[in-house]
């Protein structure tokens, strides 16, 4: 804007009137405020959710892997707080943790331990300070909750065999079974940031 005023002076034009200056300021103040507000928005979504369901089944595991659960996670700066519940396991839960995977739906390695009730139904919880790499894994949908139980078989060479798992993804509306979803659908591979 200053350049336009100066170029106007060089071309022999008169200086802007007080009314024009006031009008420009009236327009620029809300724009500047909006730009500051946009800059203040955190780059990481604060709330995440996971729908915990059975790990992949095969003939060996279908009799010992069952149950459902949910987990919620809140990120406040670098502090991640995870809470949740599970139920209907065929045997008592033994351990739960946060795992980091290379992509959504791909098994990974345990990075953080969660507290869990050693029962067929109960609560999970934990609070952690994330490293920058772990925060990026959360933001990009590569952290997931896994619950193991007494009867779950040991792990495969390509990853662990647990009982329930679910990826922590940005919190979103859930479609209800038998009710058509209105508006855009949440598609994890498209609606989760890639960086």
């Amino acid at each position: 804007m200053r350049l336009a005023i100066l170029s106007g002076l060089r071309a022999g034009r008169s200086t802007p009137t007080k009314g024009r200056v006031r009008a420009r300021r009236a327009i620029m103040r809300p724009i500047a405020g909006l730009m500051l507000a946009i800059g203040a928005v955190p780059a990481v979504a604060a709330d995440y959710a996971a729908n915990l369901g059975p790990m992949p089944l095969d003939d060996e595991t279908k009799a010992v892997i069952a149950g459902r659960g949910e987990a919620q996670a809140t990120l406040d700066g670098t502090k991640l707080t995870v809470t949740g519940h599970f139920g209907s396991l065929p045997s008592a839960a033994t351990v739960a943790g946060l795992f980091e995977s290379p992509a959504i739906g791909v098994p990974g390695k345990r990075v953080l331990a969660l507290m869990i009730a050693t029962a067929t139904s109960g609560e999970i919880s934990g609070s952690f300070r994330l490293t920058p790499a772990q925060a990026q894994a959360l933001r990009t949908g590569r952290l997931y909750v896994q619950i193991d139980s007494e009867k779950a078989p040991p792990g495969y060479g390509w990853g662990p065999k647990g009982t329930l798992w679910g990826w922590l993804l940005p919190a979103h509306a859930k479609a209800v079974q038998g009710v058509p979803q209105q508006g855009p659908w949440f598609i994890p591979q498209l609606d989760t940031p890639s960086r």
Side-chain angles (χ1 to χ4, degrees), residues 108-123:
K109 302 218 181 272
R110 183 185 311 267
V111 292
L112 300 165
L114 292 168
M115 293 185 292
I116 187 167
T118 54
T120 57
S121 297
E123 306 289 321

Side-chain angles (χ1 to χ4, degrees), residues 23-179:
R24 285 183 188 160
R25 286 184 183 159
I27 292 171
M28 293 307 289
R29 281 186 183 138
I31 292 172
L34 180 62
M35 290 172 68
L36 287 173
I38 290 171
V41 172
V44 178
D47 297 313
Y48 297 84
N51 180 3
L52 304 176
M55 297 280 284
L57 303 174
D58 57 25
D59 286 340
E60 176 189 11
T61 61
K62 65 184 174 186
V64 293
I65 294 181
R68 295 304 292 181
E70 291 185 341
Q72 300 78 36
T74 301
L75 185 63
D76 183 9
T78 61
K79 184 180 179 184
L80 180 69
T81 302
V82 179
T83 59
H85 60 89
F86 64 93
S88 303
L89 298 182
S91 60
T94 55
V95 67
L98 288 180
F99 285 64
E100 185 174 343
S101 68
I104 297 170
V106 178
K109 302 218 181 272
R110 183 185 311 267
V111 292
L112 300 165
L114 292 168
M115 293 185 292
I116 187 167
T118 54
T120 57
S121 297
E123 306 289 321
I124 58 171
S125 63
S127 185
F128 316 96
R129 290 277 176 208
L130 298 182
T131 66
Q134 291 168 337
Q136 182 177 9
L138 173 66
R139 197 171 43 253
T140 57
R142 295 182 295 115
L143 281 187
Y144 67 96
V145 174
Q146 180 174 314
I147 297 174
D148 297 340
S149 67
E150 291 172 347
K151 291 185 180 177
Y156 290 115
W158 50 263
K161 268 193 190 176
T163 301
L164 302 178
W165 66 353
W167 269 256
L168 289 170
L169 300 171
H172 58 279
K174 297 177 188 170
V176 178
Q177 185 173 353
V179 178

